[in-house]
Amino acid sequence: MGKLIYLDNAATTKTSPTVLEAMLPYFSENYGNASSIYSIGAKSKEAISQGRAAIAKVLGAAENEIYFTAGGSESDNWALKATAEAYANKGKHIITSKIEHHAILHTCEYLEKQRGYEVSYIDVDENGVIKLDELKKAIRPDTILISVMFANNEIGTIQPIKEIGEIAHEHGILFHTDAVQAFGQVPINVDELHIDMLSSSAHKINGPKGIGFLYIRKGVKIRSFIHGGAQERKRRAGTENVPGIVGYGKAAEEAAATMQERTAKEAQLRDYLIDRILKEIPYTRLNGDRTRRLPNNANFSFQFIEGESLLIMLDMEGICGSSGSACTSGSLDPSHVLLAIGLPHEIAHGSLRLTLGADTTKEDLDFTIEKIKGIVERLRGMSPLYEDFIKKSGKN
């Protein structure tokens, strides 16, 4: 196998050398517990403050509105469960969309089955954009929370977050967004977008795994998620992951500093990839909005093939891709996102998500495209469905 071509940056990214360098001293030199009063503990406490400040700056938030967690899934769970608990006296109704990450959907399912909450799941259009009219109609006097992801992790569609935030606030409802895929990829200002809570995870932006944050707007009265010590201003107990926080702060700084140039390059390469795939491989469709999408995301469905076979054969060529969310890659069921945008099961099964990174080159994509063309042709050649289709269409 030759060069590894990594095109699954929506699943995770490589930790950047500068992030790793910033983290290393907090493993072996400045290893003190930030809750201790001696000097190496104070160094850890200061490092946490600096990481918090760096992240807050990217969001246009106050430092004391950033709470560190173990990642996006914990942040999503905290936002939903703690809000449900804190605002139960107002109502037990939550609104979300049908294409959320499973960290949201499964938490909503838990609240429904175990805590007696009602959840409205809003439809999306064929491009994965939430239907705002349906969202407005779903609002009730007892609605306490709207949770809609900033950008979809599978098809890359960016939601009308500002409009959703305005709708929520017009009705006195809290608004949470899962921004795990969007933070560091698109500009986000929590005040301008009317966001009350926001989830993120470092490993999506060349930071370390196992560290995330939940932005909680000042005045939002959600409760502690982990009880114990007084860390994170008594809202999230547990000894802080100092190296992770340092790494996240550095990754956030780098992402913000390079965002404009980096994402412009990614979007240009993304469009090149999309144009060639759609032009050169028949019976292929792009999933997600053509322009209102993350700069590094391309998601395709190839008729008459299985996505799993395509992934295995790409891996044999040194190419890493995905059929959708990394969290459900072991499932045989088609993507709930692709079903929600109207794809039939047989087409949803033939999906491929390619997500670019800062190191992706045009040469990488040219090699990948040629390999995809050959593999799709080979798989279709073994497909009775494709053979029947060709015969019926008179193209053989």
Side-chain angles (χ1 to χ4, degrees):
M1 184 186 295
K3 174 186 176 183
L4 175 71
I5 298 178
Y6 185 75
L7 296 173
D8 199 19
N9 287 278
T12 196
T13 57
K14 176 175 64 177
T15 303
S16 82
T18 50
V19 167
L20 180 59
E21 183 181 3
M23 293 171 64
L24 286 176
Y26 295 91
F27 286 107
S28 56
E29 298 171 29
N30 302 326
Y31 54 85
N33 189 315
S35 298
S36 304
I37 62 172
Y38 38 73
S39 59
I40 62 170
K43 287 181 180 179
S44 292
K45 187 174 182 179
E46 176 60 22
I48 291 172
S49 296
Q50 291 175 358
R52 200 186 311 274
I55 290 168
K57 184 177 180 181
V58 177
L59 290 175
E63 295 176 28
N64 62 4
E65 295 175 316
I66 304 299
Y67 296 83
F68 289 111
T69 67
S73 291
E74 182 191 326
S75 298
D76 284 345
N77 272 260
W78 185 4
L80 268 63
K81 291 178 180 178
T83 299
E85 180 183 358
Y87 290 83
N89 61 336
K90 177 185 175 183
K92 302 186 76 171
H93 179 239
I94 294 170
I95 299 174
T96 189
S97 84
K98 291 184 177 179
I99 64 168
E100 296 298 306
H101 189 277
H102 282 110
I104 293 293
L105 294 178
H106 289 170
T107 303
C108 286
E109 182 181 357
Y110 162 82
L111 290 172
E112 287 180 293
K113 292 182 177 180
Q114 304 297 326
R115 292 291 182 263
Y117 284 78
E118 291 184 66
V119 181
S120 296
Y121 298 90
I122 306 303
D123 286 315
V124 295
D125 65 18
E126 67 275 8
N127 292 321
V129 179
I130 192 169
K131 295 182 178 179
L132 293 178
D133 289 343
E134 189 175 322
L135 172 67
K136 293 176 184 176
K137 291 177 182 177
I139 292 173
R140 307 181 337 199
D142 61 339
T143 304
I144 58 172
L145 178 67
I146 295 173
S147 179
V148 176
M149 67 193 333
F150 203 111
N152 187 262
N153 52 302
E154 293 191 34
I155 61 175
T157 298
I158 298 172
Q159 298 295 344
I161 293 298
K162 184 175 182 179
E163 290 87 340
I164 297 170
E166 288 173 345
I167 292 168
H169 285 192
E170 284 171 5
H171 292 83
I173 300 167
L174 293 177
F175 175 42
H176 165 259
T177 185
D178 177 337
V180 168
Q181 294 292 334
F183 182 75
Q185 283 288 87
V186 296
I188 300 175
N189 183 288
V190 289
D191 287 336
E192 293 176 2
L193 299 177
H194 312 288
I195 296 169
D196 294 306
M197 292 174 284
L198 179 147
S199 304
S200 182
S201 189
H203 74 104
K204 306 295 187 179
I205 58 166
N206 302 106
K209 297 175 180 64
I211 183 71
F213 71 81
L214 179 63
Y215 158 77
I216 306 174
R217 179 180 295 279
K218 184 179 180 181
V220 174
K221 295 177 173 59
I222 75 167
R223 300 174 182 176
S224 302
F225 189 56
I226 298 177
H227 299 90
Q231 293 89 351
E232 294 303 290
R233 297 177 299 289
K234 298 183 179 181
R235 274 183 156 173
R236 201 272 188 181
T239 301
E240 298 93 341
N241 176 2
V242 181
I245 292 170
V246 169
Y248 203 174
K250 184 65 174 177
E253 285 181 346
E254 291 183 354
T258 63
M259 186 185 300
Q260 186 172 359
E261 181 179 354
R262 170 175 48 85
T263 59
K265 175 198 168 189
E266 288 176 349
Q268 185 177 28
L269 289 173
R270 174 205 68 191
D271 291 343
Y272 173 78
L273 170 65
I274 291 171
D275 290 340
R276 281 201 60 189
I277 290 288
L278 295 181
K279 180 180 179 181
E280 299 176 31
I281 304 179
Y283 314 115
T284 300
R285 62 160 282 153
L286 175 72
N287 298 315
D289 195 277
R290 184 64 174 85
T291 56
R292 191 184 181 118
R293 70 187 304 127
L294 290 170
N296 69 336
N297 177 290
N299 186 302
F300 305 98
S301 286
F302 303 96
Q303 286 185 255
F304 314 109
I305 72 165
E306 287 287 336
E308 185 178 2
S309 300
L310 176 57
L311 287 177
I312 292 170
M313 296 172 80
L314 283 173
D315 183 48
M316 293 171 67
E317 299 289 349
I319 301 166
C320 300
S322 171
S323 60
S325 170
C327 302
T328 57
S329 58
S331 173
L332 295 177
D333 295 328
S335 158
H336 70 286
V337 175
L338 298 183
L339 296 181
I341 64 174
L343 267 63
H345 279 64
E346 62 271 18
I347 294 179
H349 270 300
S351 65
L352 173 68
R353 181 187 69 180
L354 300 175
T355 42
L356 288 59
D359 297 332
T360 304
T361 65
K362 184 172 178 289
E363 290 72 27
D364 292 337
L365 297 183
D366 285 332
F367 180 84
T368 299
I369 292 165
E370 293 304 318
K371 292 301 179 183
I372 292 173
K373 288 166 63 177
I375 293 169
V376 169
E377 183 177 3
R378 180 180 171 189
L379 291 173
R380 284 176 175 170
M382 297 184 288
S383 169
L385 291 175
Y386 183 65
E387 183 180 356
D388 290 343
F389 173 79
I390 293 297
K391 286 179 180 179
K392 290 177 181 178
S393 63
K395 295 185 179 182
N396 193 2

